[in-house]
Amino acid sequence: MILNTKNLRVGYGKKTVVADINIEAMKGQFIGLLGPNGSGKSTILKTIVRMLVPLGGEIYLNGHNISSLSNLEMARTTAVVLTESISPGLLAAYDVVMLGRHPYTGFIGKPTEEDNRKVFEALKMVNAADLAHRYFGELSDGEKQKTMLARALAQEPQLIVLDEPTSHLDARHRIEVMLILRQLTQKKGVTVIASLHDIDLAMKACDIVILIKDERILACGAPEDVLEESTVADLYNMDKAAFSSYLGGVELRSNGHGPVYVVAGSGSGARLYRSLVKHGFSIITGVLPENDIDYYIARAVGATVVSEKPYNEISSDACSQAQKLMSDAKLVVDADFPVGSANRRNIDLMRHALESGQGTYTLRGRDEAVKIYGDIASRFIYCQSLSQLMDVISKSENLIT
Amino acid sequence: MAKTMTTSETNETVSFLARRWKRFALVMTLFAVGVFLFLVLNVALGSVNIPFPDTIKAIFGGHSSQSAFDSIIWQLRLPRAFGALLSGSALAVAGLLLQVFFRNPIVDPFILGVSSGATFMVAIAMLGSYLLGATVVSSLTLSMASFVGAVLVMLVALAVASKVRDIITLLVIGLMTGYVVSALSSFLIAFAQSENVHRFVIWTMGSFSGFRWEYVQWLAIASIPLMTGCYLMSKQLNAFLLGENYARSSMGVNVKVFRYLIIFLSCALTAIVTAFAGPVAFIGLAVPHLARLSLGTSDNRILIPVSILGGAMLTSLCDLLARMLFAPVELPVSATTAIFGAPMVIFFLIKGKTAI
């Protein structure tokens, strides 16, 4: 065990921010702290690295109470990457990383060959060897963050504490930084504790997540166990969006006008659902088998879903339920779903919509539609693309209301 | 495959580091040559021009061709030249230390009010003794007064540093102390006679005129160990480039001790120079920038020695100009340092390459 806390209470002055913190961090674990802004993630991290004094309880590093360790002992075991941006003047990335060797260099800080080698190892570890000679101030945010990571690595720590290491970064660097951290834990056995904002990245990279809200730890454990729709919704007070543990991400919730009835399947609905949500429609969809990707996305975006058990043919019950819901819908969309024996009844459903004279749209080409639905396919309103469909139905929606 | 990559990367760093050391060596040599050049000019030029061979001989301790030259060189010009040299070095290092400490490029050695304290005590000594009927105030008295004033302000700064956590607060308190003490000086000026005020005002602009060997001695005894002390802190200073939080939590710097040491070293250096030469402006502000920009690094391990040379060089040049430009009238040295220093600082800041 690298780090553990006992009934730790953290905060500023007399104000407690989080209490009853009992963390156990093992060698090589990647621990993510999740929680809304201001929940105290940073306060906990700053206390662990002795930038703040604990208001109560104890913190142990390798079994030693950290208040008994010298600055040097701390610096040799624990490295920090803070959110504050630094402006070190005319230092090259190499110099910044070399500062990480401070706990090991002599009185004047003259680097040895070994220090030099370690600096380069660290830079390579974060894919930043080519940045060595460039001024730190001239690097992009992502490159700066990688350099700061390399600096932390050059300290040869057992524990790296990072405060929001991925904020301000673009998509590529965000993932790159998480991968580097993941690698550190697996290859070098370094323990990583980081406060994070991306639930999806945390779920995919962390061994343990700790959820913090309202001055206490809401939950702690493997992300697979802890990160469920209801817990995440509670953590962030989300009602306009939902976390799906199957999809590993957050989906916006549909609400507003419509509803639009979507007949989809096998992923044909995924982009359509998100587009509809984005344009403010609420969604009814079905019939979908309960093992279909569209089923999970539809659930996550808060659509009303008519479903069938996995690997079963669509039953007439489900079909009639779908027909009933369809009659409430303002319009019906055929998402260009693949047709097979199990979902034949969805074709009947579409025919029904066409016969009833509802506004019925399709994303299929004309020839294919005729092949599947026969002559009645001439009643379809054809759309070449999602954006065209959105254009058309947004306009017709305006006409209706 | 992996092996070749390693080699090429290593080569690249080696060449980057080698290029950098070449640049450091070049700048160091140029500055050292500059120091020697201005030292020679300072000794050779004046109301009596001394031939260069005699000057060189005299500097290395020999005798020149005429005994009149000997006395000019040994009693007037050499002590003054060395005074300018040492003072410039001390101010440059003090300025560098405080710029790094406050993480602010427009900080100079007087930012904590050291010169105001010195000025105030000199005002008391000078104007006070005239009020009491004295006709002459010895320069030694003024030096003592100046030193006492500077040290008092330094003690205030140290006391404040132990109370406040935030560095910017310390900076603001230093500035305010300076204003208050300056205001006290202006009270004294209001009550003084105008010819005395003239002498006082000239003092506040600094001068190396009448610099004696014993001053050089005192300056050397105090400033050389202090500057060495600064050099020994360059590792901690470098850590401070990343800010107080990183310096403390990630590099094991004892920030509290470090803080006292910085204030002590920089104020003591400034105090000792101000005692003998008065407040010499702009050297402490401009030279660190000059050093950083010509070296292309903020690494204090090399910046400190180069600032020492740069301060010596620039101050020698400015004193030479102060003596020569409108001879026989001598300008206050702050006038020439400002004329050189201010455009230099503006240029550096606009060029944007230099920060701290």
Side-chain angles (χ1 to χ4, degrees), chain A residues 49-51 71-72 75 78-82 84 86-92 94-96 99-100 102-103 105-111 116 120 124 129-130 132-133 135 138 148 151 155, chain B residues 6 9-10 12-13 16-17 20 23 103 165 231-236 238-239 241-246 248-255 292-293 295-299 301 353-356:
Chain A
V49 299
R50 292 210 309 202
M51 279 166 62
N71 284 350
L72 195 64
T78 311
V80 192
V81 178
L82 301 166
E84 64 185 43
I86 60 157
S87 45
L90 296 179
L91 287 190
Y94 166 87
D95 299 312
V96 172
L99 287 178
H102 252 226
T105 53
F107 195 73
I108 286 295
K110 189 175 162 22
N116 223 354
F120 248 71
K124 251 184 271 173
D130 52 329
H133 63 282
Y135 283 128
E138 292 168 357
M148 290 311 279
R151 194 206 62 85
Q155 265 175 264
Chain B
T6 318
E9 269 161 11
T10 318
E12 200 178 306
T13 357
F16 147 68
L17 294 174
R20 167 190 264 190
R23 183 170 175 179
R103 313 176 43 67
R165 248 184 95 91
Y231 181 70
L232 294 180
M233 289 189 64
S234 44
K235 177 175 167 176
Q236 274 79 5
N238 281 351
L241 289 173
L242 297 189
E244 210 173 319
N245 282 332
Y246 277 110
R248 185 192 355 240
S249 59
S250 221
M251 284 173 276
V253 175
N254 186 334
V255 173
R292 261 190 291 266
L293 206 61
L295 292 168
T297 184
S298 294
D299 185 344
R301 279 174 297 151
K353 267 280 190 177
T354 179
I356 40 155

Side-chain angles (χ1 to χ4, degrees), chain B residues 269-291:
Chain B
L269 279 170
T270 315
I272 191 84
V273 172
T274 311
F276 296 121
V280 177
F282 276 104
I283 296 295
L285 176 56
V287 171
H289 289 296
L290 175 69

Side-chain angles (χ1 to χ4, degrees), chain B residues 25-154:
Chain B
L26 181 71
V27 171
M28 201 100 149
T29 316
L30 279 180
F31 278 35
V33 169
V35 171
F36 185 71
L37 179 72
F38 291 125
L39 175 67
V40 170
L41 287 178
N42 259 323
V43 174
L45 302 182
S47 51
V48 176
N49 287 334
I50 295 165
F52 284 110
D54 285 334
T55 313
I56 306 271
K57 252 188 247 165
I59 288 176
F60 288 106
H63 285 281
S64 53
S65 55
Q66 293 176 34
S67 60
F69 287 173
D70 271 355
S71 67
I72 292 175
I73 292 173
W74 280 97
Q75 281 165 30
L76 294 173
R77 294 197 187 155
L78 258 187
R80 180 175 182 151
F82 276 115
L85 222 92
L86 277 171
S87 303
S89 302
L91 288 175
V93 175
L96 173 65
L97 241 62
L98 289 178
Q99 283 180 5
V100 175
F101 179 61
F102 286 119
R103 313 176 43 67
N104 189 327
I106 56 159
V107 156
D108 76 358
F110 306 122
I111 200 82
L112 292 175
V114 169
S115 64
S116 311
T119 308
F120 176 60
M121 288 309 277
V122 166
I124 289 182
M126 204 186 260
L127 305 173
S129 33
Y130 292 141
L131 278 180
L132 292 174
T135 47
V136 196
V137 186
S138 79
S139 60
L140 193 66
T141 314
L142 293 185
S143 293
M144 298 279 281
S146 161
F147 188 69
V148 169
V151 167
L152 283 178
V153 169
M154 176 177 96

Side-chain angles (χ1 to χ4, degrees), chain A residues 63-175:
Chain A
H64 303 286
N65 193 321
I66 61 161
S67 61
S68 69
L69 297 176
S70 73
N71 284 350
L72 195 64
E73 285 169 317
M74 273 298 276
R76 283 183 180 174
T77 37
T78 311
V80 192
V81 178
L82 301 166
T83 38
E84 64 185 43
S85 65
I86 60 157
S87 45
L90 296 179
L91 287 190
Y94 166 87
D95 299 312
V96 172
V97 179
M98 187 57 91
L99 287 178
R101 296 300 300 162
H102 252 226
Y104 303 95
T105 53
F107 195 73
I108 286 295
K110 189 175 162 22
T112 61
E113 261 315 302
E114 194 197 350
D115 292 322
N116 223 354
R117 211 188 63 238
K118 294 245 159 88
V119 164
F120 248 71
E121 267 174 30
L123 277 165
K124 251 184 271 173
M125 190 81 197
V126 303
N127 317 319
D130 52 329
L131 304 178
H133 63 282
R134 289 179 53 198
Y135 283 128
F136 186 82
E138 292 168 357
L139 302 179
S140 74
D141 281 347
E143 291 167 334
K144 279 182 183 167
Q145 191 67 342
K146 287 201 288 184
T147 309
M148 290 311 279
L149 261 179
R151 194 206 62 85
L153 279 179
Q155 265 175 264
E156 300 186 290
Q158 298 171 347
L159 171 70
I160 299 186
V161 175
L162 306 101
D163 197 3
E164 293 179 19
T166 56
S167 44
H168 312 299
L169 301 189
D170 62 21
R172 181 203 133 188
H173 282 109
R174 196 175 289 223
I175 290 165

